[in-house]
Amino acid sequence: MDVNGTVAEGFEPVREAFAANFTLLGERGAAVAVYRDGHRVVDLWAGVRDIDGAAGAAPWERGTAQIVRSATKGIAAAALLLLHQRGVLDLDAPAGVYWPEFKAAGKERTRVRHLLAHRAGVPVLDRPLTPAEAADPELGAAAVAAQAPVWEPGTDHGYHAHTYGWLTGELLRRVTGRPVGEWVAEEIAGPAGAELWLGLPAAERGRAGRVGPADVPESAGGLRIRPKRAVAEAYAAPDSLTRRAFAAITPVADENDPGYRAAVLPASNGIATADGLARFYAALIGEVDGGTRLFTPETMELARAEQSAGPDRVLVTGTRFGLGYMLHGAASPLLAPGSFGHPGRGGALGFADPEHGIAFGYVTNGFRPGVTADPRAQALVRAVRAALA
């Protein structure tokens, strides 16, 4: 497999691991980018841009973008934390102060930080939304506002796979009066110079490759690929919180549909280049190429301060969350204990590690079973760790 792009001296292990993903782990098309101390040190891409492309199909190019699924959540979290940084959103206030309708059905004491830390108790919808309904931000917000919590808000945690998008998007709209996709474009992506979108503009549609499932063996190269049995069983059980959380949009949306990509779902349908995802995280922890820094040091520490830890009622494994970000741990290994970021179900990963000055972005067109710890992304993270060592 021909790998395109560059790596800085010392980061050659990342190129080797990226190439091995194609030969050992069935990668079809992907890109990875790494920044160190605000400067790009890895910029690699290879393969075809479309998962269903035949031999000789359009190659992946440097500017190819892909849907990143739940890696979108890290962008949505940054938006709310920036509102807090600017003094217009109180993390300890009840969410109903800003969004009165949300106080319904026993959620009066749900705080803003509970929404960010997957502690709000509303990972499911009693009546799932269709993809068309989910794309209407008013319908999504109304549905989650009316939903009764399945545990007392603030007392436990469980991954809000889809509802997180309506929770964060509507809260931002209530505070700013602006749609979340527009706000992210103007207040995050623009200042950071990051190629990422919540709601893909028509002018950028041609850059986004087609995604799809990737068939994988039980293991490859000594790495386990498929989810653990307990997780798989939870997904299969119709009444489990796991199944219901991921079925809050039913049937499953066609992620290659232009209408779906143009919709704004801050939990699941962001589109980014690998460089865009890495550059976004680089801007959270420092200046990028001498330019904008998004988070103050105080906000950065808030983002990665542990809010939830232990058995996750949705993911049926131990997880750790800060304010909107997954933290380094067994379920979602990142670079080091101080890392914070977010994977996308089936592949994508973005994170930052302030102590090492590292920001990382990986995107792929082939989605694998599982929510966290994709073996291709993990191989790249280990390679970054080796380069630093």
Side-chain angles (χ1 to χ4, degrees):
M1 169 59 62
D2 292 331
V3 172
N4 304 292
T6 60
V7 296
E9 183 178 356
F11 284 86
E12 293 85 359
V14 183
R15 179 188 285 274
E16 295 167 7
F18 187 63
N21 281 352
F22 286 84
T23 58
L24 298 178
L25 298 180
E27 189 80 273
R28 290 289 304 280
V32 60
V34 180
Y35 282 70
R36 187 178 193 186
D37 297 330
H39 301 288
R40 188 166 52 233
V41 293
V42 174
D43 185 22
L44 300 173
W45 64 94
V48 293
R49 48 167 278 155
D50 300 320
I51 189 68
D52 53 1
W60 193 295
E61 299 177 340
R62 185 177 184 280
T64 296
Q66 297 288 5
I67 194 165
V68 297
R69 290 186 168 176
S70 283
T72 313
K73 290 181 173 72
I75 303 167
L80 293 190
L81 288 172
L82 285 171
L83 293 181
H84 171 75
Q85 181 173 289
R86 297 173 186 183
V88 295
L89 180 65
D90 183 352
L91 298 175
D92 289 312
V97 168
Y98 306 100
W99 180 4
E101 295 88 339
F102 188 74
K103 292 185 286 187
K107 302 192 296 300
E108 298 88 349
R109 291 184 290 181
T110 307
R111 293 188 290 169
V112 170
R113 68 171 61 245
H114 296 156
L115 306 190
L116 283 164
H118 297 269
R119 303 183 70 82
V122 285
V124 304
L125 294 179
D126 291 336
R127 188 189 79 78
L129 302 182
T130 67
E133 291 172 330
D136 183 330
E138 293 186 7
L139 280 178
V144 78
Q147 178 67 39
V150 296
W151 65 78
E152 182 180 347
T155 64
D156 208 344
H157 82 285
Y159 189 56
H160 288 50
H162 286 300
T163 56
Y164 184 93
W166 299 308
L167 293 171
T168 54
E170 183 64 8
L171 188 57
L172 182 140
R173 189 185 72 83
R174 295 296 178 116
V175 172
T176 68
R178 297 160 62 188
V180 61
E182 173 189 300
W183 199 94
V184 164
E186 296 177 0
E187 306 289 344
I188 293 179
E195 295 178 312
L196 56 84
W197 302 271
L198 271 64
L200 186 66
E204 305 291 347
R205 188 179 298 169
R207 300 179 57 185
R210 292 177 60 83
V211 298
D215 294 329
V216 292
E218 195 71 30
S219 64
L223 299 172
R224 182 176 179 83
I225 306 297
R226 298 188 183 278
K228 295 179 180 178
R229 177 171 304 209
V231 180
E233 289 175 351
Y235 278 113
D239 295 329
S240 71
L241 285 183
T242 309
R243 178 72 172 268
R244 293 174 63 203
F246 284 94
I249 300 176
T250 300
V252 175
D254 177 2
E255 293 173 306
N256 294 316
D257 176 68
Y260 178 79
R261 293 179 168 207
V264 179
L265 296 168
S268 57
N269 84 331
I271 290 178
T273 63
D275 182 72
L277 199 55
R279 192 176 181 92
F280 158 71
Y281 275 101
L284 295 187
I285 64 172
E287 294 182 353
V288 182
D289 295 328
T292 298
R293 174 174 182 159
L294 294 175
F295 281 176
T296 64
E298 294 77 15
T299 301
M300 182 188 75
E301 293 304 328
L302 276 175
R304 62 178 181 158
E306 184 179 276
Q307 303 289 313
S308 302
D312 188 300
R313 294 186 62 168
V314 171
L315 296 182
V316 294
T317 189
T319 57
R320 297 179 64 229
F321 287 97
L323 287 172
Y325 296 95
M326 279 193 171
L327 306 180
H328 177 74
S332 183
L334 301 175
L335 183 68
S339 302
F340 66 99
H342 216 290
R345 184 184 183 192
L349 177 64
F351 69 83
D353 188 275
E355 282 69 34
H356 293 90
I358 290 291
F360 175 97
Y362 162 73
V363 302
T364 177
N365 60 19
F367 292 137
R368 300 272 173 83
V371 178
T372 64
D374 182 272
R376 298 161 298 175
Q378 286 303 304
L380 297 170
V381 173
R382 288 194 299 273
V384 172
R385 195 178 297 128
L388 295 173

PDB file of all heavy atoms in Angstrom, residues 15 24 37 54 59 101 111 138 149 151 183 205 208 215-216 229 262 281 295 298 308 318 335-336 349 371:
ATOM      1  N   ARG A  15       4.017   6.258  10.531  1.00  0.00           N
ATOM      2  CA  ARG A  15       3.885   5.849   9.132  1.00  0.00           C
ATOM      3  C   ARG A  15       3.873   4.321   9.023  1.00  0.00           C
ATOM      4  O   ARG A  15       3.060   3.746   8.287  1.00  0.00           O
ATOM      5  CB  ARG A  15       5.029   6.414   8.285  1.00  0.00           C
ATOM      6  CG  ARG A  15       4.964   5.992   6.818  1.00  0.00           C
ATOM      7  CD  ARG A  15       6.200   6.404   6.055  1.00  0.00           C
ATOM      8  NE  ARG A  15       6.207   7.849   5.776  1.00  0.00           N
ATOM      9  CZ  ARG A  15       5.623   8.402   4.719  1.00  0.00           C
ATOM     10  NH1 ARG A  15       4.974   7.655   3.842  1.00  0.00           N
ATOM     11  NH2 ARG A  15       5.697   9.703   4.547  1.00  0.00           N
ATOM     12  N   LEU A  24      -2.606  -5.504   7.514  1.00  0.00           N
ATOM     13  CA  LEU A  24      -2.969  -6.447   8.567  1.00  0.00           C
ATOM     14  C   LEU A  24      -4.399  -6.308   9.072  1.00  0.00           C
ATOM     15  O   LEU A  24      -4.992  -7.286   9.522  1.00  0.00           O
ATOM     16  CB  LEU A  24      -2.018  -6.285   9.761  1.00  0.00           C
ATOM     17  CG  LEU A  24      -0.538  -6.563   9.506  1.00  0.00           C
ATOM     18  CD1 LEU A  24       0.265  -6.301  10.772  1.00  0.00           C
ATOM     19  CD2 LEU A  24      -0.334  -7.995   9.029  1.00  0.00           C
ATOM     20  N   ASP A  37       2.860  20.499  20.005  1.00  0.00           N
ATOM     21  CA  ASP A  37       3.111  21.895  20.380  1.00  0.00           C
ATOM     22  C   ASP A  37       2.625  22.856  19.306  1.00  0.00           C
ATOM     23  O   ASP A  37       3.279  23.859  18.986  1.00  0.00           O
ATOM     24  CB  ASP A  37       4.595  22.107  20.657  1.00  0.00           C
ATOM     25  CG  ASP A  37       5.092  21.277  21.833  1.00  0.00           C
ATOM     26  OD1 ASP A  37       4.284  21.009  22.743  1.00  0.00           O
ATOM     27  OD2 ASP A  37       6.274  20.892  21.835  1.00  0.00           O
ATOM     28  N   ALA A  54     -14.707   0.375  -6.367  1.00  0.00           N
ATOM     29  CA  ALA A  54     -14.060  -0.770  -7.006  1.00  0.00           C
ATOM     30  C   ALA A  54     -12.568  -0.486  -7.156  1.00  0.00           C
ATOM     31  O   ALA A  54     -12.088   0.616  -6.910  1.00  0.00           O
ATOM     32  CB  ALA A  54     -14.701  -1.035  -8.367  1.00  0.00           C
ATOM     33  N   PRO A  59      -8.873   7.766  -5.536  1.00  0.00           N
ATOM     34  CA  PRO A  59      -8.002   7.613  -4.374  1.00  0.00           C
ATOM     35  C   PRO A  59      -8.330   8.640  -3.290  1.00  0.00           C
ATOM     36  O   PRO A  59      -8.892   9.695  -3.559  1.00  0.00           O
ATOM     37  CB  PRO A  59      -6.610   7.869  -4.954  1.00  0.00           C
ATOM     38  CG  PRO A  59      -6.853   8.799  -6.098  1.00  0.00           C
ATOM     39  CD  PRO A  59      -8.168   8.377  -6.682  1.00  0.00           C
ATOM     40  N   GLU A 101     -38.545  24.083  28.950  1.00  0.00           N
ATOM     41  CA  GLU A 101     -39.278  22.855  28.625  1.00  0.00           C
ATOM     42  C   GLU A 101     -38.557  21.601  29.120  1.00  0.00           C
ATOM     43  O   GLU A 101     -39.173  20.550  29.319  1.00  0.00           O
ATOM     44  CB  GLU A 101     -39.502  22.743  27.110  1.00  0.00           C
ATOM     45  CG  GLU A 101     -40.388  23.826  26.526  1.00  0.00           C
ATOM     46  CD  GLU A 101     -39.615  25.069  26.106  1.00  0.00           C
ATOM     47  OE1 GLU A 101     -38.489  25.280  26.616  1.00  0.00           O
ATOM     48  OE2 GLU A 101     -40.136  25.829  25.263  1.00  0.00           O
ATOM     49  N   ARG A 111     -28.500  19.383  36.019  1.00  0.00           N
ATOM     50  CA  ARG A 111     -27.597  20.511  35.797  1.00  0.00           C
ATOM     51  C   ARG A 111     -26.934  20.428  34.426  1.00  0.00           C
ATOM     52  O   ARG A 111     -26.881  19.373  33.798  1.00  0.00           O
ATOM     53  CB  ARG A 111     -26.529  20.543  36.896  1.00  0.00           C
ATOM     54  CG  ARG A 111     -27.095  20.860  38.271  1.00  0.00           C
ATOM     55  CD  ARG A 111     -25.996  21.071  39.287  1.00  0.00           C
ATOM     56  NE  ARG A 111     -25.295  19.839  39.627  1.00  0.00           N
ATOM     57  CZ  ARG A 111     -24.166  19.793  40.318  1.00  0.00           C
ATOM     58  NH1 ARG A 111     -23.584  20.933  40.726  1.00  0.00           N
ATOM     59  NH2 ARG A 111     -23.587  18.645  40.602  1.00  0.00           N
ATOM     60  N   GLU A 138     -35.839  21.047  16.134  1.00  0.00           N
ATOM     61  CA  GLU A 138     -36.932  21.339  17.048  1.00  0.00           C
ATOM     62  C   GLU A 138     -37.619  20.068  17.517  1.00  0.00           C
ATOM     63  O   GLU A 138     -37.964  19.930  18.700  1.00  0.00           O
ATOM     64  CB  GLU A 138     -37.939  22.286  16.377  1.00  0.00           C
ATOM     65  CG  GLU A 138     -37.377  23.677  16.110  1.00  0.00           C
ATOM     66  CD  GLU A 138     -38.438  24.625  15.585  1.00  0.00           C
ATOM     67  OE1 GLU A 138     -39.627  24.247  15.559  1.00  0.00           O
ATOM     68  OE2 GLU A 138     -38.082  25.753  15.206  1.00  0.00           O
ATOM     69  N   PRO A 149     -36.522  10.628  32.696  1.00  0.00           N
ATOM     70  CA  PRO A 149     -35.211   9.992  32.870  1.00  0.00           C
ATOM     71  C   PRO A 149     -35.347   8.543  33.328  1.00  0.00           C
ATOM     72  O   PRO A 149     -36.294   8.187  34.047  1.00  0.00           O
ATOM     73  CB  PRO A 149     -34.532  10.858  33.937  1.00  0.00           C
ATOM     74  CG  PRO A 149     -35.656  11.511  34.669  1.00  0.00           C
ATOM     75  CD  PRO A 149     -36.764  11.699  33.678  1.00  0.00           C
ATOM     76  N   TRP A 151     -32.880   7.106  35.083  1.00  0.00           N
ATOM     77  CA  TRP A 151     -32.319   7.127  36.426  1.00  0.00           C
ATOM     78  C   TRP A 151     -32.358   8.576  36.902  1.00  0.00           C
ATOM     79  O   TRP A 151     -32.531   9.504  36.098  1.00  0.00           O
ATOM     80  CB  TRP A 151     -30.897   6.565  36.473  1.00  0.00           C
ATOM     81  CG  TRP A 151     -29.848   7.348  35.738  1.00  0.00           C
ATOM     82  CD1 TRP A 151     -29.213   8.490  36.131  1.00  0.00           C
ATOM     83  CD2 TRP A 151     -29.298   7.027  34.453  1.00  0.00           C
ATOM     84  NE1 TRP A 151     -28.317   8.902  35.188  1.00  0.00           N
ATOM     85  CE2 TRP A 151     -28.337   8.017  34.141  1.00  0.00           C
ATOM     86  CE3 TRP A 151     -29.506   5.988  33.524  1.00  0.00           C
ATOM     87  CZ2 TRP A 151     -27.603   8.018  32.951  1.00  0.00           C
ATOM     88  CZ3 TRP A 151     -28.780   5.987  32.359  1.00  0.00           C
ATOM     89  CH2 TRP A 151     -27.827   6.987  32.083  1.00  0.00           C
ATOM     90  N   TRP A 183     -22.850  28.143  14.655  1.00  0.00           N
ATOM     91  CA  TRP A 183     -21.992  28.617  15.738  1.00  0.00           C
ATOM     92  C   TRP A 183     -20.624  27.941  15.679  1.00  0.00           C
ATOM     93  O   TRP A 183     -19.587  28.593  15.818  1.00  0.00           O
ATOM     94  CB  TRP A 183     -22.667  28.351  17.085  1.00  0.00           C
ATOM     95  CG  TRP A 183     -22.133  29.169  18.211  1.00  0.00           C
ATOM     96  CD1 TRP A 183     -22.613  30.362  18.671  1.00  0.00           C
ATOM     97  CD2 TRP A 183     -20.992  28.855  19.030  1.00  0.00           C
ATOM     98  NE1 TRP A 183     -21.852  30.816  19.724  1.00  0.00           N
ATOM     99  CE2 TRP A 183     -20.845  29.909  19.976  1.00  0.00           C
ATOM    100  CE3 TRP A 183     -20.093  27.801  19.069  1.00  0.00           C
ATOM    101  CZ2 TRP A 183     -19.836  29.925  20.928  1.00  0.00           C
ATOM    102  CZ3 TRP A 183     -19.076  27.814  20.013  1.00  0.00           C
ATOM    103  CH2 TRP A 183     -18.952  28.860  20.933  1.00  0.00           C
ATOM    104  N   ARG A 205     -19.530  19.174  -0.413  1.00  0.00           N
ATOM    105  CA  ARG A 205     -20.075  17.821  -0.530  1.00  0.00           C
ATOM    106  C   ARG A 205     -19.151  16.881  -1.287  1.00  0.00           C
ATOM    107  O   ARG A 205     -19.018  15.707  -0.950  1.00  0.00           O
ATOM    108  CB  ARG A 205     -21.450  17.888  -1.209  1.00  0.00           C
ATOM    109  CG  ARG A 205     -22.213  16.588  -1.223  1.00  0.00           C
ATOM    110  CD  ARG A 205     -23.566  16.775  -1.890  1.00  0.00           C
ATOM    111  NE  ARG A 205     -24.384  17.744  -1.156  1.00  0.00           N
ATOM    112  CZ  ARG A 205     -25.510  18.253  -1.626  1.00  0.00           C
ATOM    113  NH1 ARG A 205     -25.931  17.935  -2.849  1.00  0.00           N
ATOM    114  NH2 ARG A 205     -26.205  19.105  -0.897  1.00  0.00           N
ATOM    115  N   ALA A 208     -16.301  14.697   0.647  1.00  0.00           N
ATOM    116  CA  ALA A 208     -16.585  13.659   1.627  1.00  0.00           C
ATOM    117  C   ALA A 208     -16.767  12.307   0.948  1.00  0.00           C
ATOM    118  O   ALA A 208     -17.612  12.149   0.072  1.00  0.00           O
ATOM    119  CB  ALA A 208     -17.840  14.027   2.421  1.00  0.00           C
ATOM    120  N   ASP A 215     -15.828  -5.625   7.033  1.00  0.00           N
ATOM    121  CA  ASP A 215     -15.820  -6.991   7.557  1.00  0.00           C
ATOM    122  C   ASP A 215     -14.475  -7.274   8.201  1.00  0.00           C
ATOM    123  O   ASP A 215     -13.419  -6.972   7.640  1.00  0.00           O
ATOM    124  CB  ASP A 215     -16.072  -7.997   6.436  1.00  0.00           C
ATOM    125  CG  ASP A 215     -17.477  -7.857   5.855  1.00  0.00           C
ATOM    126  OD1 ASP A 215     -18.383  -7.475   6.620  1.00  0.00           O
ATOM    127  OD2 ASP A 215     -17.645  -8.123   4.650  1.00  0.00           O
ATOM    128  N   VAL A 216     -14.527  -7.871   9.387  1.00  0.00           N
ATOM    129  CA  VAL A 216     -13.283  -8.125  10.106  1.00  0.00           C
ATOM    130  C   VAL A 216     -13.315  -9.502  10.746  1.00  0.00           C
ATOM    131  O   VAL A 216     -14.373 -10.029  11.081  1.00  0.00           O
ATOM    132  CB  VAL A 216     -13.063  -7.071  11.216  1.00  0.00           C
ATOM    133  CG1 VAL A 216     -12.786  -5.717  10.628  1.00  0.00           C
ATOM    134  CG2 VAL A 216     -14.259  -7.007  12.158  1.00  0.00           C
ATOM    135  N   ARG A 229     -18.227 -10.270  24.393  1.00  0.00           N
ATOM    136  CA  ARG A 229     -19.531 -10.919  24.329  1.00  0.00           C
ATOM    137  C   ARG A 229     -20.597 -10.145  25.096  1.00  0.00           C
ATOM    138  O   ARG A 229     -21.725  -9.988  24.621  1.00  0.00           O
ATOM    139  CB  ARG A 229     -19.418 -12.339  24.872  1.00  0.00           C
ATOM    140  CG  ARG A 229     -20.747 -13.070  24.903  1.00  0.00           C
ATOM    141  CD  ARG A 229     -20.559 -14.528  25.246  1.00  0.00           C
ATOM    142  NE  ARG A 229     -19.633 -15.145  24.319  1.00  0.00           N
ATOM    143  CZ  ARG A 229     -19.677 -16.439  23.992  1.00  0.00           C
ATOM    144  NH1 ARG A 229     -20.613 -17.205  24.484  1.00  0.00           N
ATOM    145  NH2 ARG A 229     -18.785 -16.938  23.170  1.00  0.00           N
ATOM    146  N   ALA A 262     -26.114  16.898   5.374  1.00  0.00           N
ATOM    147  CA  ALA A 262     -26.380  18.330   5.504  1.00  0.00           C
ATOM    148  C   ALA A 262     -27.092  18.656   6.811  1.00  0.00           C
ATOM    149  O   ALA A 262     -27.096  19.819   7.245  1.00  0.00           O
ATOM    150  CB  ALA A 262     -27.218  18.815   4.321  1.00  0.00           C
ATOM    151  N   TYR A 281      -8.304  19.788  18.105  1.00  0.00           N
ATOM    152  CA  TYR A 281      -7.808  19.453  19.438  1.00  0.00           C
ATOM    153  C   TYR A 281      -6.537  20.219  19.781  1.00  0.00           C
ATOM    154  O   TYR A 281      -6.317  20.592  20.942  1.00  0.00           O
ATOM    155  CB  TYR A 281      -7.597  17.944  19.568  1.00  0.00           C
ATOM    156  CG  TYR A 281      -8.879  17.227  19.948  1.00  0.00           C
ATOM    157  CD1 TYR A 281      -9.633  16.564  19.002  1.00  0.00           C
ATOM    158  CD2 TYR A 281      -9.340  17.249  21.256  1.00  0.00           C
ATOM    159  CE1 TYR A 281     -10.822  15.936  19.340  1.00  0.00           C
ATOM    160  CE2 TYR A 281     -10.525  16.629  21.611  1.00  0.00           C
ATOM    161  CZ  TYR A 281     -11.261  15.969  20.652  1.00  0.00           C
ATOM    162  OH  TYR A 281     -12.437  15.354  21.002  1.00  0.00           O
ATOM    163  N   PHE A 295      -9.370  27.117  24.145  1.00  0.00           N
ATOM    164  CA  PHE A 295      -9.602  26.991  25.580  1.00  0.00           C
ATOM    165  C   PHE A 295      -8.523  27.731  26.364  1.00  0.00           C
ATOM    166  O   PHE A 295      -7.333  27.641  26.047  1.00  0.00           O
ATOM    167  CB  PHE A 295      -9.546  25.525  26.014  1.00  0.00           C
ATOM    168  CG  PHE A 295     -10.784  24.709  25.730  1.00  0.00           C
ATOM    169  CD1 PHE A 295     -10.799  23.344  26.009  1.00  0.00           C
ATOM    170  CD2 PHE A 295     -11.929  25.284  25.203  1.00  0.00           C
ATOM    171  CE1 PHE A 295     -11.916  22.577  25.761  1.00  0.00           C
ATOM    172  CE2 PHE A 295     -13.064  24.526  24.949  1.00  0.00           C
ATOM    173  CZ  PHE A 295     -13.056  23.158  25.233  1.00  0.00           C
ATOM    174  N   GLU A 298      -7.718  27.152  32.222  1.00  0.00           N
ATOM    175  CA  GLU A 298      -8.749  26.781  33.195  1.00  0.00           C
ATOM    176  C   GLU A 298      -9.852  25.952  32.546  1.00  0.00           C
ATOM    177  O   GLU A 298     -10.324  24.958  33.115  1.00  0.00           O
ATOM    178  CB  GLU A 298      -9.346  28.042  33.833  1.00  0.00           C
ATOM    179  CG  GLU A 298      -8.382  28.843  34.690  1.00  0.00           C
ATOM    180  CD  GLU A 298      -7.399  29.673  33.875  1.00  0.00           C
ATOM    181  OE1 GLU A 298      -7.617  29.872  32.662  1.00  0.00           O
ATOM    182  OE2 GLU A 298      -6.395  30.123  34.477  1.00  0.00           O
ATOM    183  N   SER A 308     -17.578  11.421  35.562  1.00  0.00           N
ATOM    184  CA  SER A 308     -18.245  10.124  35.600  1.00  0.00           C
ATOM    185  C   SER A 308     -17.194   9.038  35.461  1.00  0.00           C
ATOM    186  O   SER A 308     -16.286   9.150  34.633  1.00  0.00           O
ATOM    187  CB  SER A 308     -19.256   9.987  34.444  1.00  0.00           C
ATOM    188  OG  SER A 308     -20.228  11.001  34.488  1.00  0.00           O
ATOM    189  N   GLY A 318     -16.677  -0.272  31.941  1.00  0.00           N
ATOM    190  CA  GLY A 318     -16.261   0.889  32.707  1.00  0.00           C
ATOM    191  C   GLY A 318     -15.831   2.019  31.792  1.00  0.00           C
ATOM    192  O   GLY A 318     -15.009   1.821  30.888  1.00  0.00           O
ATOM    193  N   LEU A 335      -3.576   8.578  24.732  1.00  0.00           N
ATOM    194  CA  LEU A 335      -2.112   8.574  24.777  1.00  0.00           C
ATOM    195  C   LEU A 335      -1.568   8.334  26.177  1.00  0.00           C
ATOM    196  O   LEU A 335      -0.632   7.563  26.374  1.00  0.00           O
ATOM    197  CB  LEU A 335      -1.573   9.898  24.228  1.00  0.00           C
ATOM    198  CG  LEU A 335      -0.055  10.007  24.137  1.00  0.00           C
ATOM    199  CD1 LEU A 335       0.499   9.052  23.083  1.00  0.00           C
ATOM    200  CD2 LEU A 335       0.355  11.444  23.812  1.00  0.00           C
ATOM    201  N   ALA A 336      -2.166   8.998  27.162  1.00  0.00           N
ATOM    202  CA  ALA A 336      -1.618   8.999  28.521  1.00  0.00           C
ATOM    203  C   ALA A 336      -2.725   9.403  29.491  1.00  0.00           C
ATOM    204  O   ALA A 336      -3.807   9.814  29.065  1.00  0.00           O
ATOM    205  CB  ALA A 336      -0.429   9.967  28.597  1.00  0.00           C
ATOM    206  N   LEU A 349     -11.222   8.810  15.644  1.00  0.00           N
ATOM    207  CA  LEU A 349     -10.741   9.184  16.967  1.00  0.00           C
ATOM    208  C   LEU A 349     -10.062  10.541  16.903  1.00  0.00           C
ATOM    209  O   LEU A 349      -9.267  10.815  16.004  1.00  0.00           O
ATOM    210  CB  LEU A 349      -9.731   8.148  17.488  1.00  0.00           C
ATOM    211  CG  LEU A 349      -9.069   8.447  18.844  1.00  0.00           C
ATOM    212  CD1 LEU A 349     -10.097   8.477  19.959  1.00  0.00           C
ATOM    213  CD2 LEU A 349      -7.978   7.428  19.145  1.00  0.00           C
ATOM    214  N   VAL A 371     -17.696   0.612  19.940  1.00  0.00           N
ATOM    215  CA  VAL A 371     -17.784   2.058  20.104  1.00  0.00           C
ATOM    216  C   VAL A 371     -16.417   2.676  20.360  1.00  0.00           C
ATOM    217  O   VAL A 371     -16.106   3.757  19.877  1.00  0.00           O
ATOM    218  CB  VAL A 371     -18.744   2.402  21.270  1.00  0.00           C
ATOM    219  CG1 VAL A 371     -18.811   3.903  21.499  1.00  0.00           C
ATOM    220  CG2 VAL A 371     -20.134   1.854  20.989  1.00  0.00           C
TER     221      VAL A 371
END
